[in-house]
């Protein structure tokens, strides 16, 4: 199986980026904003775990919180697909697999022709054959190599229970991948590295290899009191570099960095993707939930590229983006360099 890891894949968005450069970066409202290629779907506000680093940990156990309206969401997905949207990722918010109609939503989106992925903590009962058959990837937020560390990060009162269940689900997905869909589906492990689990960094990579997942993605935590020390960041970056170059890990790819993606360019690429929350808000990106560009209860074409959408993008500052470790910080800079290209190197092979 071949992989398209890394920043290079952003170059597949170059035609849309050129339009966004003129429309957003050069502030030309007469140029229509292209449709999103990717939609992050927060279909649940509810989660049965309580991760230390989660932006929503204070609210996703609130009894008043619920799930996205299935019927309106599916209708909105149809509208977005007709406009040109290509892919969906079910994530949080809360835990997407807890939505009572998760299976139906996945099946409906798949029938529309969307490429699908999901980020899950992998601890619950899940329709594994459906996921392997319909998804392009399942990324499992494991964050640990042992039950004790998993319990410490996930903070669920039911000890010594959730980690074994997650491992069991991962093993079964790997088995189904190899049996039914070896070239069209990947299983990954996601790790938010912090002071609680840093001592298991090497163990987590070894565990991923033994499980034969396609990749392990490791990112540094920024959102709680458990951030790494400078010495841990340096050691973590060194270890990641070692694993990424080690030929012994040629099946299980090791992805990630401990470095903060600095923002130096005003964000103009955000319309390539969007976020839909469980309450139906449509967001510019995952970091500014208080700035919706509209809702799924409005026709897609009336929201996308309207005055409010442009105002939200314009309001977002480089300083705000620099405070968050966002991959678009790197991609905005890369695309600006490619588009402006003073020596016209992109014109040559």
């Amino acid at each position: 199986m071949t992989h398209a890891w890394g920043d290079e894949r952003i170059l597949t968005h170059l035609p849309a980026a050129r339009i966004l450069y003129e429309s957003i970066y050069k502030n030309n409202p007469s140029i229509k904003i292209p449709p999103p290629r990717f939609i992050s779907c927060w279909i649940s506000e509810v989660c049965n775990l309580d991760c230390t680093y989660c932006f929503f940990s204070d609210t996703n156990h609130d009894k008043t919180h619920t799930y996205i309206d299935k019927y309106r969401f599916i209708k909105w997905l149809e509208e977005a697909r007709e406009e040109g949207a290509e892919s969906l990722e079910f994530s949080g918010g809360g835990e997407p697999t807890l939505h009572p109609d998760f299976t139906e939503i996945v099946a409906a989106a798949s029938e529309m022709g969307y490429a699908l992925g999901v980020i899950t903590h992998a601890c619950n009962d899940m329709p594994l054959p459906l996921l392997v058959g319909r998804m392009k990837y399942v990324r499992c937020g494991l964050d640990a190599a042992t039950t004790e560390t998993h319990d410490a990060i996930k903070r669920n009162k039911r000890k010594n229970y959730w980690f074994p269940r997650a491992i069991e689900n991962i093993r079964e997905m790997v088995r189904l991948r190899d049996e039914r869909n070896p070239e069209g589906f990947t299983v990954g492990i996601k790790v938010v590295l912090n002071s609680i689990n840093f001592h298991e960094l090497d163990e987590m990579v070894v565990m991923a290899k033994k499980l034969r997942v396609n990749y392990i993605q490791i990112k540094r935590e920024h959102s709680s009191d458990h951030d790494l020390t400078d010495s841990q960041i340096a050691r973590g970056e060194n270890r990641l570099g070692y694993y990424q170059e080690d030929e012994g890990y040629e099946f299980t790819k090791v992805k990630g960095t401990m470095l903060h993606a600095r923002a130096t360019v005003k964000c103009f690429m955000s319309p390539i993707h969007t976020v839909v929350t469980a309450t139906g808000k449509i967001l510019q990106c995952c970091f500014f939930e208080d700035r919706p560009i509209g809702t799924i209860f409005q026709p897609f074409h009336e929201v996308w590229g309207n005055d409010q959408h442009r105002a939200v993008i314009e309001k977002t500052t480089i300083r705000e983006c620099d405070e968050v470790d966002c991959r678009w910080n790197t991609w905005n800079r890369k695309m600006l360099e490619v588009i402006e290209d003073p020596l016209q190197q992109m014109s040559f092979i």
Side-chain angles (χ1 to χ4, degrees):
M1 177 181 292
T2 58
H3 302 274
W5 303 137
D7 291 340
E8 292 78 12
R9 65 179 170 174
I10 194 61
L11 295 175
T12 68
H13 297 270
L14 184 56
R18 293 190 187 280
I19 297 172
L20 290 169
Y21 174 79
E22 297 295 336
S23 181
I24 302 298
Y25 193 79
K26 292 293 189 179
N27 193 25
N28 186 345
S30 67
I31 298 178
K32 184 179 179 181
I33 293 177
R37 191 154 129 187
F38 169 73
I39 304 171
S40 181
C41 305
W42 300 352
I43 61 175
S44 168
E45 288 186 312
V46 180
C47 188
N48 53 326
L49 300 183
D50 186 26
C51 298
T52 58
Y53 56 79
C54 181
F55 289 111
F56 305 95
S57 61
D58 293 335
T59 60
N60 60 20
H61 299 279
D62 189 324
K63 299 298 183 183
T64 65
H65 284 197
T66 184
Y67 311 100
I68 201 164
D69 180 272
K70 174 185 67 176
Y71 299 105
R72 183 55 213 164
F73 181 52
I74 289 176
K75 180 66 170 62
W76 185 85
L77 288 180
E78 291 174 344
E79 296 172 8
R81 181 68 178 150
E82 289 174 0
E83 292 292 328
E86 296 181 14
S87 62
L88 309 177
E89 178 183 84
F90 299 101
S91 56
E95 167 56 37
T97 64
L98 287 177
H99 194 296
D101 300 308
F102 176 71
T103 297
E104 186 175 342
I105 291 171
V106 168
S110 178
E111 291 299 323
M112 293 177 207
Y114 280 106
L116 305 176
V118 62
I119 298 178
T120 171
H121 59 50
C123 296
N124 300 328
D125 292 334
M126 297 190 293
L128 301 182
L130 176 76
L131 298 185
V132 175
R134 301 283 187 124
M135 295 282 175
K136 296 300 182 184
Y137 63 87
V138 175
R139 190 173 304 145
C140 305
L142 205 55
D143 301 322
T146 64
T147 297
E148 293 74 21
T149 300
H150 191 267
D151 286 345
I153 290 179
K154 303 303 184 182
R155 297 190 300 190
N156 194 286
K157 295 179 180 179
R158 192 170 186 178
K159 303 298 182 183
N160 195 28
Y161 178 76
W162 298 108
F163 183 73
R165 292 196 71 191
I167 294 296
E168 181 182 346
N169 280 333
I170 291 170
R171 284 198 176 112
E172 179 61 10
M173 281 190 285
V174 167
R175 187 190 71 80
L176 291 171
R177 175 201 67 193
D178 294 345
E179 178 184 282
R180 303 183 184 184
N181 199 8
E183 296 299 322
F185 171 75
T186 62
V187 187
I189 289 174
K190 181 173 75 75
V191 172
V192 177
L193 198 67
N194 59 24
S195 61
I196 300 173
N197 62 4
F198 181 80
H199 67 286
E200 291 185 354
L201 173 58
D202 291 318
E203 292 178 72
M204 288 186 282
V205 174
V206 171
M207 175 190 65
K209 181 185 178 185
K210 289 181 177 178
L211 288 169
R212 294 192 74 254
V213 296
N214 296 84
Y215 61 90
I216 178 170
Q217 179 191 63
I218 302 171
K219 295 183 177 181
R220 169 183 153 209
E221 178 179 329
H222 294 274
S223 54
S224 79
D225 298 327
H226 303 289
D227 197 3
L228 301 176
T229 65
D230 290 343
S231 62
Q232 287 174 324
I233 293 170
R235 182 172 181 270
E237 188 69 9
N238 179 268
R239 296 304 293 165
L240 286 179
Y242 167 76
Y243 286 120
Q244 288 163 355
E245 295 175 3
D246 186 1
E247 293 181 358
Y249 289 84
E250 57 188 24
F251 181 81
T252 299
K253 305 296 182 183
V254 180
K255 305 168 59 180
T257 179
M258 297 293 99
L259 304 181
H260 185 97
R262 311 308 318 191
T264 58
V265 173
K266 183 171 176 58
C267 184
F268 68 97
M269 294 281 291
S270 64
I272 285 175
H273 89 305
T274 192
V275 177
V276 176
T277 73
T279 57
K281 290 190 291 186
I282 306 171
L283 307 181
Q284 170 199 13
C285 73
C286 64
F287 293 108
F288 303 112
E289 191 177 358
D290 60 336
R291 300 178 194 170
I293 65 174
T295 76
I296 64 171
F297 303 100
Q298 304 166 266
F300 179 90
H301 69 274
E302 292 184 5
V303 172
W304 200 255
N306 67 9
D307 290 343
Q308 185 173 343
H309 191 175
R310 288 182 174 275
V312 167
I313 295 173
E314 181 60 31
K315 183 178 181 180
T316 305
T317 66
I318 296 176
R319 175 178 292 182
E320 287 177 314
C321 293
D322 193 49
E323 291 175 354
V324 296
D325 190 23
C326 176
R327 59 186 175 175
W328 293 97
N329 291 342
T330 301
W331 287 349
N332 278 298
R333 182 169 59 252
K334 179 182 285 287
M335 278 304 196
L336 189 64
E337 293 170 353
V338 169
I339 292 169
E340 294 190 335
D341 187 20
L343 298 177
Q344 291 188 299
Q345 294 299 311
M346 291 292 292
S347 301
F348 299 93
I349 297 298

